[in-house]
Amino acid sequence: MTTGATSPVTTPRPSRPAPTVRTRAGCLRGTEEEYDGRTLSVFRGVPYAQPPVGPLRFSSPRPVRPWTGVRDATAFSPPFLQPRPPGGSEDALYANVWTPDPGGRRPVLVYVHGGGFQVGAADAPACDGAKPAARGDLVVVTFNYRLGAFGWGLHEDLTDPRTGDCANWGLQDQTALLRWVRDNAEAFGGDPGAVTLCGTSAGAVSARLLAGSARTEGIVKRLVAVSAALPWAPALSLTADDARTAYEKLAAGSGTSVAGLRYVPAEELQAAWLGLFDGPPERRLLASGREYRGPVVDGRTVAAGDPPLPPVPVMSVHCRTEGSFFTDPHSLSFPPAPPAPANDDELRAAVRDVLLKCTAHVPDEEVAACVEAYREAAAAEGLPGDPLSLWTEVWGDALLRYQIVRLAERHAAEGRSPQHVMEFAHPVRPPHFGTPHDATSKFLFGTHAHPTLVGQFGDGPLERRVSDAFVDLVASFARCGTPSSPHVPHWPEFAPGRPSTLILGGPGIARIGDASKLRRLRFWDGIDWLPGA
């Protein structure tokens, strides 16, 4: 356990020889760094697929071409091209590896970053793999994948002749990364038979799909899904028909065919794609993709029907206040938070806007019933009932928490693998509020003390103990399937109807109980909000 005044940081050890490893494609030279007294070998910017540029745009990922000599692996690659920050590139299919010992044989934690399928990167400050590698004694892998128009869509004119696939190139990249890990884990001291897949937000949506995919069968042994929604249209993905229309519109606007989109300048294509989703969802050409544009059902990479329950042991995590990521005017969410409602009329309008992210038609009486149900639940639970708080809870539950909780209950009833459920409840610092959708990664990676994050997430003794506990739980789960930590009581498998959810965060660090704010979820049951939940 860290006991210093501030969280430890990774520091290079220039006096030691640079670590080298031999992957199937060639040799790599990384750096040797120290974290909290433990030496790590770190390899950054390691290619796991060929650059998806030119004729390989909208193609299935191709294996890396072998190289001769020793390749430098000391710097992150650019993030994939995205609306922000500037400096992204299509040539971004690279991984990063933190390992306590390239000569060892440790469990591997593969992390899929979030970002609404539009933004995010493996070099984000929040996702530095040093702490889970050092404290958890894990080999940690992060990576980039294709985003936006380049990663999440569908059109038969983009069919890859080698694979027959024409959709979800970002998901295909993630599959290629897992196969790369299987083939190369031993080079970094990892055990290819002990791979745990972890994702947050959009990354967790992907991770759930990958854990149950025949394409990755036998690779993923355990799943940590953090704030994992269903990949459902119209809220979080396009329908197949809308995806086809989108690419046809892009092609017409660029004066080319759909296949010709491979050669349109990347920035031009990205700008045109973003333009398709400008304005309120109900006024757009496309009826789906209302909030985000993620995995499209194509019958190959994503099957039709309710997503299957993961066949591997699951740690399902959700945040206590998922919605405060979207409604906090001080957060860095993308897109930024709209103005908060200040009275009842504005609250009803704001709630209507939330519901319209998920469905094309919202009767007035449904809006009124939603507001009333949440106001009554807040009063019964002794929680704030002001417009900002109610709007925040509706947003988080409608898109995320309701389905996460109900899916966990479904897994407990129908699943064939063990499941542990956590509510992450550590509060952020004012003027931020609640435990927002993006809070977990900062504690899983111990990066809450980073200069860009500490103002929101803090770095006191309590934050460090919460982070230590989170790392312990994930590392022990990756090692043996039973999460444990000295800071946490015995965590049983999830059983609805009895206290079995781990509440992590706050002054007591951790306790076993029932998830909070369950009363308000009954509203969504009454309107049959989600199939399969």
Side-chain angles (χ1 to χ4, degrees):
M1 185 176 82
T2 300
T3 57
T6 59
S7 292
V9 295
T10 304
T11 55
R13 299 190 64 178
S15 61
R16 299 281 292 263
T20 59
V21 298
R22 179 178 291 278
T23 70
R24 292 195 177 187
C27 290
L28 297 165
R29 180 186 296 110
T31 60
E32 196 168 71
E33 300 172 3
E34 188 173 287
Y35 182 90
D36 202 19
R38 183 155 193 189
T39 300
L40 301 173
S41 295
V42 185
F43 301 86
R44 297 178 172 91
V46 180
Y48 71 86
Q50 291 182 38
V53 298
L56 293 186
R57 183 190 286 172
F58 301 122
S59 293
S60 299
R62 302 286 192 259
V64 174
R65 291 193 178 100
W67 61 84
T68 58
V70 180
R71 181 185 179 112
D72 182 80
T74 61
F76 289 116
S77 72
F80 194 85
L81 186 70
Q82 54 195 279
R84 68 173 199 198
S89 170
E90 282 189 272
D91 181 6
L93 301 189
Y94 298 87
N96 314 295
V97 184
W98 290 258
T99 177
D101 179 9
R105 191 172 180 85
R106 291 169 168 80
V108 181
L109 181 71
V110 176
Y111 181 76
V112 190
H113 74 75
F117 312 100
Q118 306 175 82
V119 298
D123 67 340
C127 303
D128 187 296
K131 180 168 183 174
R135 182 179 177 91
D137 199 35
L138 302 171
V139 175
V140 178
V141 180
T142 67
F143 66 102
N144 296 327
Y145 55 89
R146 280 175 276 187
L147 301 170
F150 308 89
W152 305 97
L154 173 151
H155 202 289
E156 287 75 7
D157 289 357
L158 300 173
T159 300
D160 188 310
R162 295 193 186 185
T163 65
D165 291 332
C166 66
N168 298 322
W169 305 280
L171 194 67
Q172 292 187 58
D173 293 343
Q174 295 163 3
T175 299
L177 180 282
L178 286 170
R179 292 173 176 169
W180 179 87
V181 167
R182 175 196 60 196
D183 296 341
N184 292 281
E186 289 180 319
F188 299 96
D191 181 354
V195 174
T196 294
L197 184 60
C198 177
T200 302
S201 189
V205 175
S206 298
R208 281 186 66 95
L209 292 172
L210 292 163
S213 171
R215 298 183 179 210
T216 58
E217 187 174 2
I219 301 177
V220 178
K221 301 302 184 183
R222 297 181 180 90
L223 170 67
V224 180
V226 184
S227 297
L230 288 167
W232 60 305
L236 303 180
S237 67
L238 292 165
T239 64
D241 284 345
D242 277 351
R244 294 184 186 100
T245 299
Y247 287 103
E248 288 160 11
K249 281 289 184 182
L250 294 177
S254 295
T256 187
S257 64
V258 171
L261 289 172
R262 290 189 171 95
Y263 304 99
V264 172
E267 291 78 6
E268 176 185 326
L269 183 56
Q270 178 180 248
W273 173 264
L274 293 172
L276 292 174
F277 304 99
D278 280 342
E282 63 272 21
R283 298 180 187 173
R284 298 175 191 162
L285 168 70
L286 306 173
S288 59
R290 290 180 161 235
E291 183 73 349
Y292 297 114
R293 274 67 65 186
V296 179
V297 173
D298 64 339
R300 293 173 61 89
T301 60
V302 178
D306 297 339
L309 296 172
V312 298
V314 177
M315 182 187 295
S316 175
V317 183
H318 63 273
C319 290
R320 173 165 287 178
T321 322
E322 292 278 356
S324 60
F325 173 75
F326 305 97
T327 65
D328 175 3
H330 304 282
S331 79
L332 299 178
S333 62
F334 182 84
N343 54 49
D344 280 356
D345 287 343
E346 291 181 2
L347 174 60
R348 285 190 291 271
V351 167
R352 177 184 295 279
D353 287 344
V354 170
L355 301 184
L356 283 171
K357 298 174 185 295
C358 309
T359 183
H361 304 289
V362 182
D364 290 344
E365 56 270 23
E366 190 170 285
V367 174
C370 183
V371 171
E372 187 59 26
Y374 271 68
R375 183 171 279 130
E376 288 179 356
E381 295 161 343
L383 296 172
D386 60 281
L388 173 59
S389 295
L390 296 180
W391 176 53
T392 294
E393 298 293 356
V394 170
W395 194 319
D397 290 353
L399 266 74
L400 295 162
R401 195 175 71 102
Y402 169 70
Q403 55 186 289
I404 294 168
V405 171
R406 293 294 185 251
L407 278 170
E409 293 169 349
R410 179 183 157 211
H411 189 113
E414 303 172 16
R416 299 187 177 183
S417 62
Q419 178 190 214
H420 291 81
V421 172
M422 177 199 298
E423 178 180 289
F424 188 70
H426 196 69
V428 293
R429 293 186 170 188
H432 308 282
F433 63 96
T435 307
H437 176 65
D438 67 332
T440 46
S441 58
K442 288 72 177 175
F443 292 87
L444 172 58
F445 288 95
T447 52
H448 50 88
H450 189 275
T452 64
L453 303 171
V454 69
Q456 182 174 6
F457 298 100
D459 184 35
L462 180 57
E463 282 76 24
R464 295 195 290 277
R465 286 194 291 271
V466 169
S467 176
D468 288 348
F470 206 160
V471 172
D472 292 345
L473 293 166
V474 170
S476 55
F477 180 70
R479 187 161 285 106
C480 64
T482 302
S484 63
S485 169
H487 303 293
V488 173
H490 171 69
W491 186 4
E493 290 185 28
F494 180 60
R498 76 167 191 255
S500 53
T501 296
L502 175 67
I503 315 298
L504 180 63
I509 308 295
R511 63 180 178 85
I512 302 298
D514 295 315
S516 66
K517 299 179 290 190
L518 294 177
R519 181 188 184 102
R520 62 194 64 197
L521 299 185
R522 299 172 192 165
F523 168 77
W524 308 103
D525 293 330
I527 62 172
D528 194 22
W529 189 239
L530 278 176

